[in-house]
Each structure stands twice: as C-alpha cells, then as structure tokens.
Amino acid sequence: MPNPSLAVTFAKAEQICRNNGVKLTTKRKNVLGVLLNSSKPLSAYEIVDLYRTAHQESLAPMSVYRMLDILNELPLVHKLSSENKYLACSHITCDHEHQVPQFLICKSCGKVAEKAIQASVIEALKESINQADFQLLNSQIELQCLCNECANPS
C-alpha cells in the first residue's frame, strides 16, 4: 500500500509545478520519490542506480541532472554544493513562505537537517558582503557538523 504522506507530498509537488508552469512528469516524480525515500543526500549517479532498482528503468545521468535542475528551481529539491548531492526539500507540504535554508551536514554519517535562517541574518550577511565590495550570489548556507548520534556514540 502506498505511503499516504508520500501521496500528500506528491500532490503538493504537482501543485507547485502547475503554479510555476512546469509539468511534474512521471520520471521527475520518480526522481523526487527516490530522494524522498532516502535518509541521506544523493549524487545524480546514486539516483540513477536507485531509480533503476526501484522502477526497472534506466535513466541517463545527464537526464537526471536536467530533472534535478528543474526540481531545484521550484524548489522541490536542494543541491548541497559542498557535497555535490541532492535532497528533497523538507518543506514541500508547508503552506507558509519559506525562508532561506541552511543545511547542517554530519561529516560522519552524512545525515542532513534543513533549517530556516531568519531574513535578518541574511540581510546582515549581505550588508557585510557589500561592505567588502562583493555581491552575494547564493545565500544557502551549508554547515559541517556532527549529529548527536555521531558526537555521542553509546
């Protein structure tokens, strides 16, 4: 029996796509599903392997990258630049305005937590960057951490 929370997430993802003039094709939905079912961020090549296992169908890595680019723009997925991996947005089903995400990445086990950054923090960073005669291109923050399980093994 299908996971009811996945059905809700896919319905919201379809609505987000429709609102942005994008079609959530079966393959895009399946790629999103691979990420939703993963407990850790995945590379495009890992997605290709898991997709093949789950759907008995091969996808070219370049096709997966194009799908990820589209899903990232919406944003239904996020790209972790420091890891060159992707994860499903943890706020797909939320109805509130999303803040800038920060990602806490466990360097030991690879687990990632997505947390919002207050707009005032980003504005302070932008001001500091502007004072240094630079311009901010991406406000996503990726922090290298240890999760409590890895920091305090039993």
Side-chain angles (χ1 to χ4, degrees), residues 6-126:
L6 274 181
V8 170
T9 302
F10 285 135
K12 183 66 174 183
E14 287 175 0
Q15 177 189 352
I16 290 168
C17 287
R18 211 172 21 257
N19 292 347
N20 287 280
V22 174
K23 185 174 181 187
L24 186 61
T25 64
T26 301
K27 289 182 181 181
R28 289 176 189 163
K29 182 177 177 179
N30 290 343
V31 165
L32 178 59
V34 167
L35 289 169
L36 287 166
N37 286 316
S38 178
S39 61
K40 63 179 185 164
L42 300 171
S43 71
Y45 288 91
E46 290 169 323
I47 293 169
V48 166
D49 291 341
L50 290 169
Y51 188 100
R52 182 183 316 109
T53 301
H55 301 285
Q56 292 74 50
E57 178 183 13
S58 293
L59 285 179
M62 287 311 296
S63 295
V64 172
Y65 278 116
R66 283 191 295 275
M67 288 181 228
L68 290 168
D69 285 345
I70 291 166
L71 296 171
N72 186 52
E73 287 295 316
L74 295 171
L76 295 172
V77 304
H78 299 293
K79 179 179 183 183
L80 298 177
S81 298
S82 64
E83 308 280 318
N84 198 26
K85 293 188 176 188
Y86 298 83
L87 71 158
C89 178
S90 63
H91 300 283
I92 292 173
T93 58
C94 298
D95 287 327
H96 62 270
E97 182 70 27
H98 294 160
Q99 295 177 313
V100 173
Q102 73 176 339
F103 298 97
L104 310 177
I105 305 166
C106 180
K107 290 307 289 179
S108 181
C109 70
K111 181 169 71 174
V112 175
E114 178 181 345
K115 298 294 179 186
I117 301 173
Q118 294 179 359
S120 60
V121 172
I122 297 300
E123 288 307 314
L125 285 170
K126 284 181 184 175

